[in-house]
Amino acid sequence: MKQKTAHDFDQDLLILFDAYVHGGIDRRTFLDKAAKYAVGGVTAAMLLEQLSPKFLEAQTIAHEDTRIEQTHVEYASPNGYGTMRGYLAKPSGGGKAPGILVIHENRGLNPHIEDITRRLAVDGFVAFAPDALFPLGGYPGDEDKAREAFGKLDQTKTREDFVAAAAFLAARPECTGKIGAVGFCYGGGMVNFLATRLGRELSAGVAYYGSSPNLPDVPRITAPLMIQSAENDPRINASWPDFEAALKAAGVRYERHLYPGTQHGFNNNTTPRYDAAAAKLSWDRTLAFFRQHVK
């Protein structure tokens, strides 16, 4: 069966799904409102299933790939939840390489983010993806349960967990000490936050469709930023003009790419919102950006 794309769904349904994914509405509300789009024998529940991630089918780098080494490791986060855990992938063969912190969406360290982490390792980076849900038992293997658990996190502590993760990655023996960060949705917002917190400890940040940081903190940013934006993403794009004005006023180096016709989540190849052309272009730009600034 041909994989569905965003073009197979009504734009208002995609916006409704975005609200559901990000906690704006619950499952029952989504199903009730999606019923108007369920035609031709398709139910609202079937629409939700079609829009939901397909991790196995979308995997690009297998766990068994001999080009990389991978493991789960714990790290200390004294100002956060105390002890945290993440997924580490690095090139095989030893030696040192720059580090990239990989920050997940609002569902924790799911198989898609692990796949992203392996992709970066194949491309020559030491990649580390913390699981913000570790204090609550870790990613539960179910996206709905993951979203529910995510809402129970103390975000003040969670932010500190990612700050600690950056220091942990930079200090790893296989890392050169230079690190960048890439994040998606919630993770994109976390990249923007880390840029305000880490200063020169962060060499570059790439934020995919992430929320803006506190604007008074923008002058603290020293790392160059790449902002990857979807055209059909009103929730995130609404804050961009003020964020851009703050970046310009502070003299922060940045570039923003807006991908025509795309949806929030266009880089995530596990769902129909994935846009293959935009994802490839944005990822090529991301790798080039890291190779320029994280070395």
Side-chain angles (χ1 to χ4, degrees), residues 158-256:
T158 297
R159 285 192 289 271
E160 296 301 325
D161 291 335
F162 283 108
V163 170
F168 171 77
L169 174 59
R172 291 287 302 181
E174 59 271 83
C175 182
T176 61
K178 298 290 187 181
I179 66 167
V182 61
F184 309 88
C185 185
Y186 169 86
M190 187 59 67
V191 168
N192 291 330
F193 162 75
L194 289 176
T196 70
R197 272 291 298 271
L198 297 180
R200 298 191 183 282
E201 296 174 14
L202 183 70
S203 295
V206 178
Y208 276 80
Y209 27 82
S211 59
S212 302
N214 291 330
L215 298 185
D217 295 334
V218 168
R220 300 177 184 174
I221 299 174
T222 61
L225 297 179
M226 176 178 284
I227 309 298
Q228 308 275 32
S229 302
E231 181 180 37
N232 298 314
D233 194 2
R235 180 176 56 84
I236 293 297
N237 291 342
S239 66
W240 172 246
D242 289 342
F243 185 19
E244 183 175 40
L247 290 168
K248 288 181 176 179
V252 175
R253 293 169 293 168
Y254 77 94
E255 56 188 83
R256 187 208 188 203

Side-chain angles (χ1 to χ4, degrees), residues 88-91 94-102 117 119-128 166 168-181 201-204 286-295:
L88 182 74
K90 60 184 181 180
K96 289 181 176 287
I100 304 295
L101 191 67
V102 185
T117 307
R119 292 184 211 175
L120 285 163
V122 167
D123 281 305
F125 296 98
V126 179
F128 182 55
F168 171 77
L169 174 59
R172 291 287 302 181
E174 59 271 83
C175 182
T176 61
K178 298 290 187 181
I179 66 167
E201 296 174 14
L202 183 70
S203 295
T286 294
L287 292 175
F289 193 70
F290 284 146
R291 287 171 178 148
Q292 178 184 358
H293 296 292
V294 188
K295 55 186 178 179

Side-chain angles (χ1 to χ4, degrees), residues 93-114:
K96 289 181 176 287
I100 304 295
L101 191 67
V102 185
I103 308 178
H104 54 62
E105 301 147 312
N106 67 330
R107 275 93 75 197
L109 182 56
N110 63 23
H112 170 63
I113 297 300
E114 290 189 344

Side-chain angles (χ1 to χ4, degrees), residues 14-36:
L14 293 171
I15 293 173
L16 184 67
F17 181 69
D18 185 75
Y20 165 65
V21 167
H22 296 97
I25 58 175
D26 60 18
R27 181 187 179 91
R28 179 182 295 276
T29 302
F30 173 83
L31 293 175
D32 287 345
K33 293 188 174 183
K36 65 183 289 187

